[in-house]
Amino acid sequence: QVQLVESGGGLVQAGGSLRLSCAASGRIYSSSVMNWFRQAPGKEREFVGALRWSTGRTYYADSVKGRFTMSRDNAKNTVYLQMDNLKPEDTAIYYCGRGINIGEANNWGQGTQVTVSS
């Protein structure tokens, strides 16, 4: 099983930016979809965005569209989540998840905390 390791979380003021990374310990196959999810305290885990590895096409939840951008580095087997214009409601633990469908994952990272202060 490929291990996923997230990094880049932290504390930022509203309006600020962070870039999360999700590094895979092995090759990400073209059939993979790399997803980002988040879970805020007391809430269910929700889909944030996805990148289809074969095409590079990205998909986003309405709540982050226009503010968050996913990208990848094939050579490093790493996917990124650039988060701009952060809002306090973006505060959550962010998880990277690998699967074969948008919004689904069966291979998870440990998560990284993002806190946005008002």
Side-chain angles (χ1 to χ4, degrees), residues 4-9 18-24 33-39 45-51 53 58-61 63-64 68-72 78-83 92-99 101-105 107-114:
L4 303 176
V5 179
E6 300 99 331
S7 61
L18 283 174
R19 188 178 79 154
L20 306 184
S21 300
C22 172
V33 174
M34 300 300 293
N35 297 275
W36 284 98
F37 297 83
R38 66 186 181 187
Q39 187 166 20
R45 188 175 297 187
E46 66 172 352
F47 171 76
V48 173
L51 185 148
W53 206 254
T58 54
Y59 307 81
Y60 301 99
S63 58
V64 306
F68 291 11
T69 305
M70 288 186 68
S71 62
R72 63 178 175 176
T78 298
V79 63
Y80 303 97
L81 181 67
Q82 176 67 40
M83 305 186 295
I93 300 174
Y94 283 70
Y95 296 91
C96 176
R98 184 175 67 101
N101 294 307
I102 305 300
E104 298 178 359
N107 182 198
W108 294 91
Q110 83 288 351
T112 186
Q113 176 72 48
V114 171

Tab-separated table of all heavy atoms in Angstrom, residues 4-9 18-24 33-39 45-51 53 58-61 63-64 68-72 78-83 92-99 101-105 107-114:
chain	number	residue	atom	x	y	z
A	4	LEU	N	0.771	7.813	2.155
A	4	LEU	CA	0.571	9.224	1.811
A	4	LEU	C	0.916	10.060	3.025
A	4	LEU	O	0.446	9.775	4.132
A	4	LEU	CB	-0.877	9.465	1.397
A	4	LEU	CG	-1.402	8.621	0.231
A	4	LEU	CD1	-2.882	8.897	0.005
A	4	LEU	CD2	-0.609	8.895	-1.030
A	5	VAL	N	1.697	11.090	2.820
A	5	VAL	CA	2.116	11.944	3.927
A	5	VAL	C	1.803	13.390	3.566
A	5	VAL	O	2.358	13.932	2.591
A	5	VAL	CB	3.619	11.790	4.226
A	5	VAL	CG1	4.020	12.722	5.367
A	5	VAL	CG2	3.944	10.348	4.578
A	6	GLU	N	0.917	13.995	4.362
A	6	GLU	CA	0.567	15.394	4.144
A	6	GLU	C	1.497	16.300	4.941
A	6	GLU	O	1.991	15.917	6.003
A	6	GLU	CB	-0.880	15.678	4.585
A	6	GLU	CG	-1.943	14.877	3.880
A	6	GLU	CD	-2.392	13.700	4.695
A	6	GLU	OE1	-1.578	13.179	5.488
A	6	GLU	OE2	-3.568	13.283	4.572
A	7	SER	N	1.669	17.484	4.441
A	7	SER	CA	2.433	18.503	5.158
A	7	SER	C	1.977	19.874	4.686
A	7	SER	O	1.262	19.987	3.690
A	7	SER	CB	3.935	18.329	4.927
A	7	SER	OG	4.242	18.468	3.552
A	8	GLY	N	2.386	20.888	5.430
A	8	GLY	CA	2.105	22.256	5.010
A	8	GLY	C	1.021	22.963	5.787
A	8	GLY	O	0.755	24.145	5.558
A	9	GLY	N	0.365	22.244	6.693
A	9	GLY	CA	-0.666	22.892	7.487
A	9	GLY	C	-0.075	23.894	8.465
A	9	GLY	O	1.138	23.987	8.639
A	18	LEU	N	-2.008	29.101	2.235
A	18	LEU	CA	-1.187	27.959	2.616
A	18	LEU	C	-1.119	27.014	1.425
A	18	LEU	O	-2.044	26.967	0.604
A	18	LEU	CB	-1.784	27.204	3.809
A	18	LEU	CG	-1.637	27.787	5.205
A	18	LEU	CD1	-2.436	26.951	6.202
A	18	LEU	CD2	-0.180	27.858	5.626
A	19	ARG	N	-0.042	26.251	1.356
A	19	ARG	CA	0.038	25.200	0.351
A	19	ARG	C	0.290	23.872	1.047
A	19	ARG	O	1.304	23.710	1.740
A	19	ARG	CB	1.146	25.457	-0.673
A	19	ARG	CG	1.089	24.468	-1.831
A	19	ARG	CD	2.128	24.714	-2.896
A	19	ARG	NE	3.436	24.227	-2.538
A	19	ARG	CZ	4.369	23.867	-3.418
A	19	ARG	NH1	4.109	23.975	-4.722
A	19	ARG	NH2	5.549	23.457	-3.019
A	20	LEU	N	-0.640	22.962	0.855
A	20	LEU	CA	-0.503	21.626	1.405
A	20	LEU	C	0.144	20.710	0.372
A	20	LEU	O	-0.083	20.868	-0.828
A	20	LEU	CB	-1.858	21.062	1.815
A	20	LEU	CG	-2.702	21.906	2.770
A	20	LEU	CD1	-3.977	21.134	3.140
A	20	LEU	CD2	-1.929	22.299	3.998
A	21	SER	N	0.910	19.776	0.882
A	21	SER	CA	1.532	18.763	0.027
A	21	SER	C	1.088	17.382	0.476
A	21	SER	O	0.878	17.152	1.668
A	21	SER	CB	3.058	18.848	0.111
A	21	SER	OG	3.534	20.107	-0.309
A	22	CYS	N	0.976	16.498	-0.480
A	22	CYS	CA	0.692	15.090	-0.200
A	22	CYS	C	1.683	14.270	-1.014
A	22	CYS	O	1.577	14.217	-2.245
A	22	CYS	CB	-0.739	14.742	-0.574
A	22	CYS	SG	-1.117	12.978	-0.480
A	23	ALA	N	2.635	13.697	-0.321
A	23	ALA	CA	3.675	12.928	-0.980
A	23	ALA	C	3.390	11.443	-0.849
A	23	ALA	O	3.149	10.939	0.262
A	23	ALA	CB	5.032	13.254	-0.370
A	24	ALA	N	3.424	10.754	-1.969
A	24	ALA	CA	3.224	9.307	-1.977
A	24	ALA	C	4.571	8.604	-1.914
A	24	ALA	O	5.540	9.055	-2.531
A	24	ALA	CB	2.469	8.892	-3.219
A	33	VAL	N	-7.039	8.629	-8.655
A	33	VAL	CA	-7.563	9.971	-8.419
A	33	VAL	C	-7.048	10.388	-7.051
A	33	VAL	O	-7.247	9.674	-6.065
A	33	VAL	CB	-9.098	10.006	-8.445
A	33	VAL	CG1	-9.597	11.396	-8.042
A	33	VAL	CG2	-9.618	9.630	-9.825
A	34	MET	N	-6.395	11.523	-6.997
A	34	MET	CA	-5.893	12.046	-5.727
A	34	MET	C	-6.879	13.091	-5.222
A	34	MET	O	-7.179	14.065	-5.913
A	34	MET	CB	-4.504	12.657	-5.909
A	34	MET	CG	-3.473	11.673	-6.421
A	34	MET	SD	-3.232	10.257	-5.308
A	34	MET	CE	-2.494	11.066	-3.889
A	35	ASN	N	-7.387	12.829	-4.044
A	35	ASN	CA	-8.415	13.685	-3.466
A	35	ASN	C	-7.882	14.414	-2.240
A	35	ASN	O	-7.008	13.911	-1.532
A	35	ASN	CB	-9.603	12.838	-3.005
A	35	ASN	CG	-10.296	12.116	-4.124
A	35	ASN	OD1	-11.162	12.666	-4.786
A	35	ASN	ND2	-9.917	10.863	-4.346
A	36	TRP	N	-8.467	15.549	-1.973
A	36	TRP	CA	-8.312	16.227	-0.690
A	36	TRP	C	-9.691	16.282	-0.025
A	36	TRP	O	-10.689	16.620	-0.675
A	36	TRP	CB	-7.772	17.641	-0.847
A	36	TRP	CG	-6.316	17.717	-1.148
A	36	TRP	CD1	-5.737	17.879	-2.372
A	36	TRP	CD2	-5.233	17.628	-0.204
A	36	TRP	NE1	-4.370	17.903	-2.252
A	36	TRP	CE2	-4.032	17.760	-0.932
A	36	TRP	CE3	-5.151	17.468	1.179
A	36	TRP	CZ2	-2.777	17.719	-0.327
A	36	TRP	CZ3	-3.914	17.436	1.776
A	36	TRP	CH2	-2.733	17.559	1.028
A	37	PHE	N	-9.676	15.955	1.255
A	37	PHE	CA	-10.871	16.047	2.076
A	37	PHE	C	-10.511	16.890	3.303
A	37	PHE	O	-9.344	17.125	3.591
A	37	PHE	CB	-11.321	14.662	2.556
A	37	PHE	CG	-11.721	13.729	1.458
A	37	PHE	CD1	-10.763	13.003	0.761
A	37	PHE	CD2	-13.055	13.550	1.124
A	37	PHE	CE1	-11.119	12.126	-0.249
A	37	PHE	CE2	-13.431	12.673	0.122
A	37	PHE	CZ	-12.466	11.964	-0.571
A	38	ARG	N	-11.518	17.293	4.023
A	38	ARG	CA	-11.264	17.982	5.287
A	38	ARG	C	-12.352	17.625	6.291
A	38	ARG	O	-13.478	17.280	5.906
A	38	ARG	CB	-11.193	19.493	5.094
A	38	ARG	CG	-12.498	20.157	4.667
A	38	ARG	CD	-12.265	21.633	4.363
A	38	ARG	NE	-13.500	22.312	3.978
A	38	ARG	CZ	-13.552	23.557	3.543
A	38	ARG	NH1	-12.424	24.282	3.428
A	38	ARG	NH2	-14.705	24.100	3.214
A	39	GLN	N	-11.977	17.719	7.548
A	39	GLN	CA	-12.925	17.446	8.620
A	39	GLN	C	-12.750	18.478	9.707
A	39	GLN	O	-11.674	18.568	10.326
A	39	GLN	CB	-12.737	16.033	9.180
A	39	GLN	CG	-13.804	15.638	10.176
A	39	GLN	CD	-13.804	14.151	10.457
A	39	GLN	OE1	-12.825	13.457	10.228
A	39	GLN	NE2	-14.918	13.653	10.964
A	45	ARG	N	-16.421	14.380	7.524
A	45	ARG	CA	-15.396	14.634	6.526
A	45	ARG	C	-16.065	15.053	5.224
A	45	ARG	O	-17.063	14.453	4.804
A	45	ARG	CB	-14.554	13.381	6.317
A	45	ARG	CG	-13.339	13.592	5.448
A	45	ARG	CD	-12.492	12.331	5.397
A	45	ARG	NE	-11.959	11.966	6.723
A	45	ARG	CZ	-11.089	10.994	6.909
A	45	ARG	NH1	-10.659	10.283	5.877
A	45	ARG	NH2	-10.673	10.705	8.111
A	46	GLU	N	-15.525	16.083	4.569
A	46	GLU	CA	-16.116	16.552	3.326
A	46	GLU	C	-15.073	16.639	2.230
A	46	GLU	O	-13.890	16.882	2.473
A	46	GLU	CB	-16.775	17.925	3.527
A	46	GLU	CG	-15.831	19.058	3.846
A	46	GLU	CD	-16.533	20.408	3.839
A	46	GLU	OE1	-17.708	20.508	3.450
A	46	GLU	OE2	-15.861	21.399	4.208
A	47	PHE	N	-15.540	16.458	1.030
A	47	PHE	CA	-14.703	16.536	-0.158
A	47	PHE	C	-14.293	17.977	-0.413
A	47	PHE	O	-15.106	18.889	-0.313
A	47	PHE	CB	-15.483	15.986	-1.344
A	47	PHE	CG	-14.828	16.183	-2.672
A	47	PHE	CD1	-13.761	15.392	-3.065
A	47	PHE	CD2	-15.288	17.147	-3.551
A	47	PHE	CE1	-13.162	15.567	-4.290
A	47	PHE	CE2	-14.699	17.333	-4.782
A	47	PHE	CZ	-13.627	16.546	-5.163
A	48	VAL	N	-13.016	18.168	-0.763
A	48	VAL	CA	-12.507	19.488	-1.092
A	48	VAL	C	-12.157	19.587	-2.563
A	48	VAL	O	-12.572	20.521	-3.253
A	48	VAL	CB	-11.260	19.815	-0.243
A	48	VAL	CG1	-10.616	21.129	-0.692
A	48	VAL	CG2	-11.613	19.862	1.233
A	49	GLY	N	-11.391	18.632	-3.053
A	49	GLY	CA	-10.978	18.670	-4.439
A	49	GLY	C	-10.336	17.369	-4.855
A	49	GLY	O	-10.009	16.535	-4.014
A	50	ALA	N	-10.199	17.200	-6.157
A	50	ALA	CA	-9.617	15.972	-6.690
A	50	ALA	C	-8.837	16.279	-7.961
A	50	ALA	O	-9.140	17.246	-8.668
A	50	ALA	CB	-10.701	14.939	-6.980
A	51	LEU	N	-7.867	15.428	-8.216
A	51	LEU	CA	-7.067	15.523	-9.441
A	51	LEU	C	-6.963	14.130	-10.044
A	51	LEU	O	-6.489	13.201	-9.382
A	51	LEU	CB	-5.674	16.088	-9.118
A	51	LEU	CG	-4.748	16.376	-10.291
A	51	LEU	CD1	-3.838	17.562	-9.970
A	51	LEU	CD2	-3.907	15.163	-10.675
A	53	TRP	N	-5.208	11.600	-12.091
A	53	TRP	CA	-3.777	11.512	-12.407
A	53	TRP	C	-3.524	11.333	-13.893
A	53	TRP	O	-2.547	11.832	-14.430
A	53	TRP	CB	-3.130	10.365	-11.631
A	53	TRP	CG	-1.661	10.576	-11.408
A	53	TRP	CD1	-0.633	9.942	-12.036
A	53	TRP	CD2	-1.080	11.519	-10.490
A	53	TRP	NE1	0.567	10.418	-11.576
A	53	TRP	CE2	0.327	11.388	-10.639
A	53	TRP	CE3	-1.582	12.453	-9.598
A	53	TRP	CZ2	1.219	12.155	-9.884
A	53	TRP	CZ3	-0.684	13.207	-8.859
A	53	TRP	CH2	0.689	13.065	-9.011
A	58	THR	N	-8.817	18.709	-12.755
A	58	THR	CA	-9.148	18.935	-11.356
A	58	THR	C	-10.634	19.210	-11.165
A	58	THR	O	-11.328	19.671	-12.078
A	58	THR	CB	-8.338	20.109	-10.789
A	58	THR	OG1	-8.524	21.268	-11.630
A	58	THR	CG2	-6.857	19.778	-10.735
A	59	TYR	N	-11.082	18.921	-9.959
A	59	TYR	CA	-12.483	19.072	-9.588
A	59	TYR	C	-12.501	19.668	-8.182
A	59	TYR	O	-11.675	19.314	-7.348
A	59	TYR	CB	-13.194	17.717	-9.575
A	59	TYR	CG	-13.037	16.930	-10.846
A	59	TYR	CD1	-11.879	16.193	-11.088
A	59	TYR	CD2	-14.040	16.918	-11.808
A	59	TYR	CE1	-11.723	15.465	-12.260
A	59	TYR	CE2	-13.897	16.187	-12.985
A	59	TYR	CZ	-12.734	15.475	-13.202
A	59	TYR	OH	-12.587	14.762	-14.368
A	60	TYR	N	-13.459	20.546	-7.919
A	60	TYR	CA	-13.496	21.219	-6.623
A	60	TYR	C	-14.904	21.279	-6.066
A	60	TYR	O	-15.891	21.369	-6.803
A	60	TYR	CB	-12.958	22.646	-6.748
A	60	TYR	CG	-11.544	22.713	-7.262
A	60	TYR	CD1	-11.287	22.977	-8.597
A	60	TYR	CD2	-10.464	22.489	-6.406
A	60	TYR	CE1	-9.991	23.019	-9.083
A	60	TYR	CE2	-9.170	22.532	-6.884
A	60	TYR	CZ	-8.936	22.793	-8.220
A	60	TYR	OH	-7.652	22.820	-8.684
A	61	ALA	N	-14.971	21.279	-4.744
A	61	ALA	CA	-16.233	21.550	-4.068
A	61	ALA	C	-16.589	23.018	-4.282
A	61	ALA	O	-15.707	23.879	-4.394
A	61	ALA	CB	-16.102	21.248	-2.578
A	63	SER	N	-17.591	25.123	-2.270
A	63	SER	CA	-17.163	25.973	-1.165
A	63	SER	C	-15.735	26.480	-1.320
A	63	SER	O	-15.354	27.467	-0.676
A	63	SER	CB	-17.295	25.223	0.168
A	63	SER	OG	-16.525	24.045	0.140
A	64	VAL	N	-14.951	25.842	-2.167
A	64	VAL	CA	-13.548	26.251	-2.320
A	64	VAL	C	-13.206	26.667	-3.744
A	64	VAL	O	-12.100	27.141	-4.006
A	64	VAL	CB	-12.584	25.130	-1.877
A	64	VAL	CG1	-12.908	24.668	-0.454
A	64	VAL	CG2	-12.611	23.953	-2.839
A	68	PHE	N	-9.109	27.568	-4.048
A	68	PHE	CA	-8.181	26.457	-3.900
A	68	PHE	C	-7.807	25.922	-5.267
A	68	PHE	O	-8.646	25.870	-6.173
A	68	PHE	CB	-8.795	25.325	-3.083
A	68	PHE	CG	-9.010	25.624	-1.615
A	68	PHE	CD1	-8.881	26.907	-1.098
A	68	PHE	CD2	-9.344	24.598	-0.744
A	68	PHE	CE1	-9.074	27.167	0.251
A	68	PHE	CE2	-9.544	24.840	0.597
A	68	PHE	CZ	-9.419	26.130	1.091
A	69	THR	N	-6.558	25.507	-5.397
A	69	THR	CA	-6.069	24.964	-6.664
A	69	THR	C	-5.205	23.743	-6.396
A	69	THR	O	-4.279	23.802	-5.580
A	69	THR	CB	-5.236	25.999	-7.425
A	69	THR	OG1	-6.000	27.200	-7.607
A	69	THR	CG2	-4.822	25.466	-8.792
A	70	MET	N	-5.511	22.659	-7.092
A	70	MET	CA	-4.684	21.453	-6.982
A	70	MET	C	-3.700	21.410	-8.144
A	70	MET	O	-4.006	21.835	-9.264
A	70	MET	CB	-5.551	20.202	-7.007
A	70	MET	CG	-6.361	19.993	-5.744
A	70	MET	SD	-7.235	18.407	-5.727
A	70	MET	CE	-5.866	17.253	-5.613
A	71	SER	N	-2.522	20.870	-7.848
A	71	SER	CA	-1.517	20.656	-8.881
A	71	SER	C	-0.710	19.422	-8.505
A	71	SER	O	-0.934	18.844	-7.438
A	71	SER	CB	-0.607	21.881	-9.030
A	71	SER	OG	0.102	22.128	-7.833
A	72	ARG	N	0.203	19.037	-9.347
A	72	ARG	CA	0.970	17.825	-9.070
A	72	ARG	C	2.388	17.968	-9.601
A	72	ARG	O	2.671	18.789	-10.463
A	72	ARG	CB	0.306	16.622	-9.739
A	72	ARG	CG	0.267	16.738	-11.265
A	72	ARG	CD	-0.346	15.530	-11.901
A	72	ARG	NE	-0.481	15.708	-13.338
A	72	ARG	CZ	-0.919	14.766	-14.164
A	72	ARG	NH1	-1.250	13.601	-13.678
A	72	ARG	NH2	-1.011	15.008	-15.450
A	78	THR	N	3.797	13.666	-5.972
A	78	THR	CA	3.255	14.583	-4.976
A	78	THR	C	2.127	15.407	-5.588
A	78	THR	O	2.218	15.833	-6.748
A	78	THR	CB	4.359	15.521	-4.454
A	78	THR	OG1	5.372	14.732	-3.815
A	78	THR	CG2	3.806	16.522	-3.447
A	79	VAL	N	1.105	15.609	-4.793
A	79	VAL	CA	-0.001	16.469	-5.187
A	79	VAL	C	-0.081	17.614	-4.180
A	79	VAL	O	0.231	17.432	-3.002
A	79	VAL	CB	-1.325	15.677	-5.274
A	79	VAL	CG1	-1.730	15.117	-3.927
A	79	VAL	CG2	-2.432	16.520	-5.874
A	80	TYR	N	-0.460	18.766	-4.673
A	80	TYR	CA	-0.495	19.969	-3.850
A	80	TYR	C	-1.904	20.540	-3.805
A	80	TYR	O	-2.702	20.350	-4.723
A	80	TYR	CB	0.449	21.033	-4.423
A	80	TYR	CG	1.870	20.574	-4.561
A	80	TYR	CD1	2.349	20.104	-5.777
A	80	TYR	CD2	2.729	20.578	-3.460
A	80	TYR	CE1	3.660	19.672	-5.915
A	80	TYR	CE2	4.033	20.147	-3.579
A	80	TYR	CZ	4.496	19.691	-4.811
A	80	TYR	OH	5.788	19.252	-4.934
A	81	LEU	N	-2.163	21.253	-2.727
A	81	LEU	CA	-3.403	22.005	-2.599
A	81	LEU	C	-3.017	23.426	-2.199
A	81	LEU	O	-2.627	23.667	-1.050
A	81	LEU	CB	-4.335	21.383	-1.559
A	81	LEU	CG	-5.677	22.094	-1.387
A	81	LEU	CD1	-6.530	21.960	-2.649
A	81	LEU	CD2	-6.447	21.539	-0.176
A	82	GLN	N	-3.084	24.340	-3.160
A	82	GLN	CA	-2.835	25.741	-2.888
A	82	GLN	C	-4.142	26.368	-2.411
A	82	GLN	O	-5.143	26.324	-3.131
A	82	GLN	CB	-2.336	26.455	-4.146
A	82	GLN	CG	-2.129	27.951	-3.993
A	82	GLN	CD	-0.997	28.292	-3.048
A	82	GLN	OE1	0.042	27.634	-3.056
A	82	GLN	NE2	-1.196	29.321	-2.229
A	83	MET	N	-4.103	26.937	-1.223
A	83	MET	CA	-5.301	27.509	-0.621
A	83	MET	C	-5.099	29.006	-0.445
A	83	MET	O	-4.214	29.430	0.311
A	83	MET	CB	-5.585	26.842	0.729
A	83	MET	CG	-5.684	25.327	0.640
A	83	MET	SD	-6.187	24.554	2.190
A	83	MET	CE	-4.803	24.952	3.226
A	92	ALA	N	-9.838	23.097	9.591
A	92	ALA	CA	-10.139	21.658	9.604
A	92	ALA	C	-8.826	20.885	9.555
A	92	ALA	O	-7.754	21.465	9.328
A	92	ALA	CB	-10.998	21.278	8.406
A	93	ILE	N	-8.954	19.593	9.738
A	93	ILE	CA	-7.845	18.701	9.407
A	93	ILE	C	-8.026	18.315	7.941
A	93	ILE	O	-9.113	17.870	7.548
A	93	ILE	CB	-7.828	17.449	10.293
A	93	ILE	CG1	-7.672	17.850	11.765
A	93	ILE	CG2	-6.688	16.522	9.871
A	93	ILE	CD1	-7.785	16.680	12.727
A	94	TYR	N	-6.981	18.485	7.185
A	94	TYR	CA	-7.028	18.186	5.753
A	94	TYR	C	-6.341	16.852	5.497
A	94	TYR	O	-5.220	16.623	5.946
A	94	TYR	CB	-6.359	19.295	4.956
A	94	TYR	CG	-7.239	20.520	4.823
A	94	TYR	CD1	-7.507	21.314	5.943
A	94	TYR	CD2	-7.828	20.858	3.621
A	94	TYR	CE1	-8.342	22.420	5.839
A	94	TYR	CE2	-8.657	21.965	3.498
A	94	TYR	CZ	-8.910	22.739	4.614
A	94	TYR	OH	-9.737	23.827	4.511
A	95	TYR	N	-7.041	16.009	4.754
A	95	TYR	CA	-6.556	14.674	4.455
A	95	TYR	C	-6.384	14.490	2.954
A	95	TYR	O	-7.229	14.924	2.161
A	95	TYR	CB	-7.542	13.614	4.943
A	95	TYR	CG	-7.752	13.571	6.427
A	95	TYR	CD1	-8.755	14.327	7.024
A	95	TYR	CD2	-6.965	12.766	7.246
A	95	TYR	CE1	-8.968	14.281	8.383
A	95	TYR	CE2	-7.170	12.716	8.611
A	95	TYR	CZ	-8.175	13.482	9.171
A	95	TYR	OH	-8.374	13.437	10.527
A	96	CYS	N	-5.335	13.812	2.618
A	96	CYS	CA	-5.124	13.376	1.249
A	96	CYS	C	-5.622	11.936	1.139
A	96	CYS	O	-5.369	11.121	2.031
A	96	CYS	CB	-3.632	13.457	0.942
A	96	CYS	SG	-3.141	12.867	-0.666
A	97	GLY	N	-6.327	11.638	0.071
A	97	GLY	CA	-6.844	10.290	-0.104
A	97	GLY	C	-6.722	9.868	-1.560
A	97	GLY	O	-7.036	10.648	-2.459
A	98	ARG	N	-6.281	8.655	-1.761
A	98	ARG	CA	-6.121	8.122	-3.109
A	98	ARG	C	-7.197	7.097	-3.390
A	98	ARG	O	-7.495	6.245	-2.555
A	98	ARG	CB	-4.740	7.474	-3.258
A	98	ARG	CG	-4.423	6.978	-4.659
A	98	ARG	CD	-2.987	6.472	-4.694
A	98	ARG	NE	-2.817	5.273	-3.876
A	98	ARG	CZ	-2.764	4.037	-4.369
A	98	ARG	NH1	-2.891	3.847	-5.673
A	98	ARG	NH2	-2.591	3.007	-3.578
A	99	GLY	N	-7.766	7.199	-4.577
A	99	GLY	CA	-8.771	6.229	-4.983
A	99	GLY	C	-8.795	6.135	-6.491
A	99	GLY	O	-7.825	6.507	-7.159
A	101	ASN	N	-11.991	7.017	-8.010
A	101	ASN	CA	-13.126	7.864	-8.358
A	101	ASN	C	-13.028	9.208	-7.650
A	101	ASN	O	-12.416	9.311	-6.577
A	101	ASN	CB	-14.445	7.194	-7.965
A	101	ASN	CG	-14.705	5.936	-8.764
A	101	ASN	OD1	-14.671	5.951	-9.994
A	101	ASN	ND2	-14.960	4.841	-8.078
A	102	ILE	N	-13.658	10.195	-8.246
A	102	ILE	CA	-13.704	11.524	-7.629
A	102	ILE	C	-14.471	11.441	-6.320
A	102	ILE	O	-15.579	10.922	-6.269
A	102	ILE	CB	-14.385	12.536	-8.561
A	102	ILE	CG1	-13.714	12.574	-9.931
A	102	ILE	CG2	-14.397	13.923	-7.931
A	102	ILE	CD1	-12.275	12.963	-9.905
A	103	GLY	N	-13.845	11.945	-5.265
A	103	GLY	CA	-14.525	11.997	-3.981
A	103	GLY	C	-14.537	10.706	-3.201
A	103	GLY	O	-15.243	10.603	-2.193
A	104	GLU	N	-13.752	9.743	-3.640
A	104	GLU	CA	-13.660	8.475	-2.928
A	104	GLU	C	-12.196	8.123	-2.729
A	104	GLU	O	-11.368	8.397	-3.588
A	104	GLU	CB	-14.352	7.349	-3.709
A	104	GLU	CG	-15.838	7.560	-3.919
A	104	GLU	CD	-16.472	6.442	-4.734
A	104	GLU	OE1	-15.738	5.520	-5.141
A	104	GLU	OE2	-17.690	6.510	-4.961
A	105	ALA	N	-11.898	7.508	-1.598
A	105	ALA	CA	-10.522	7.128	-1.319
A	105	ALA	C	-10.495	5.892	-0.449
A	105	ALA	O	-11.380	5.689	0.399
A	105	ALA	CB	-9.771	8.264	-0.638
A	107	ASN	N	-7.152	4.901	0.487
A	107	ASN	CA	-5.758	5.000	0.914
A	107	ASN	C	-5.593	6.427	1.418
A	107	ASN	O	-5.713	7.370	0.637
A	107	ASN	CB	-4.867	4.710	-0.298
A	107	ASN	CG	-3.388	4.719	-0.002
A	107	ASN	OD1	-2.559	4.829	-0.896
A	107	ASN	ND2	-3.019	4.597	1.255
A	108	TRP	N	-5.327	6.549	2.749
A	108	TRP	CA	-5.387	7.863	3.374
A	108	TRP	C	-4.056	8.264	3.995
A	108	TRP	O	-3.292	7.420	4.471
A	108	TRP	CB	-6.437	7.852	4.488
A	108	TRP	CG	-7.825	7.660	4.004
A	108	TRP	CD1	-8.489	6.474	3.856
A	108	TRP	CD2	-8.733	8.677	3.606
A	108	TRP	NE1	-9.758	6.699	3.389
A	108	TRP	CE2	-9.940	8.050	3.228
A	108	TRP	CE3	-8.662	10.072	3.531
A	108	TRP	CZ2	-11.051	8.761	2.778
A	108	TRP	CZ3	-9.765	10.776	3.086
A	108	TRP	CH2	-10.940	10.128	2.716
A	109	GLY	N	-3.841	9.565	4.031
A	109	GLY	CA	-2.747	10.109	4.813
A	109	GLY	C	-3.206	10.354	6.240
A	109	GLY	O	-4.365	10.105	6.591
A	110	GLN	N	-2.301	10.867	7.060
A	110	GLN	CA	-2.599	11.052	8.476
A	110	GLN	C	-3.281	12.385	8.767
A	110	GLN	O	-3.810	12.581	9.853
A	110	GLN	CB	-1.299	10.957	9.292
A	110	GLN	CG	-0.468	12.233	9.367
A	110	GLN	CD	0.227	12.594	8.061
A	110	GLN	OE1	0.236	11.809	7.107
A	110	GLN	NE2	0.831	13.772	8.008
A	111	GLY	N	-3.265	13.274	7.811
A	111	GLY	CA	-3.922	14.564	7.969
A	111	GLY	C	-2.967	15.648	8.429
A	111	GLY	O	-1.939	15.386	9.047
A	112	THR	N	-3.330	16.870	8.105
A	112	THR	CA	-2.572	18.031	8.556
A	112	THR	C	-3.561	19.130	8.949
A	112	THR	O	-4.548	19.370	8.258
A	112	THR	CB	-1.592	18.521	7.461
A	112	THR	OG1	-0.770	19.570	7.970
A	112	THR	CG2	-2.317	19.016	6.214
A	113	GLN	N	-3.269	19.766	10.078
A	113	GLN	CA	-4.203	20.751	10.636
A	113	GLN	C	-4.030	22.101	9.962
A	113	GLN	O	-2.909	22.605	9.826
A	113	GLN	CB	-3.967	20.904	12.139
A	113	GLN	CG	-4.820	21.975	12.811
A	113	GLN	CD	-6.272	21.588	12.923
A	113	GLN	OE1	-6.602	20.483	13.353
A	113	GLN	NE2	-7.175	22.499	12.534
A	114	VAL	N	-5.153	22.666	9.565
A	114	VAL	CA	-5.179	24.035	9.043
A	114	VAL	C	-6.105	24.851	9.938
A	114	VAL	O	-7.261	24.478	10.149
A	114	VAL	CB	-5.685	24.069	7.593
A	114	VAL	CG1	-5.926	25.505	7.134
A	114	VAL	CG2	-4.690	23.378	6.669
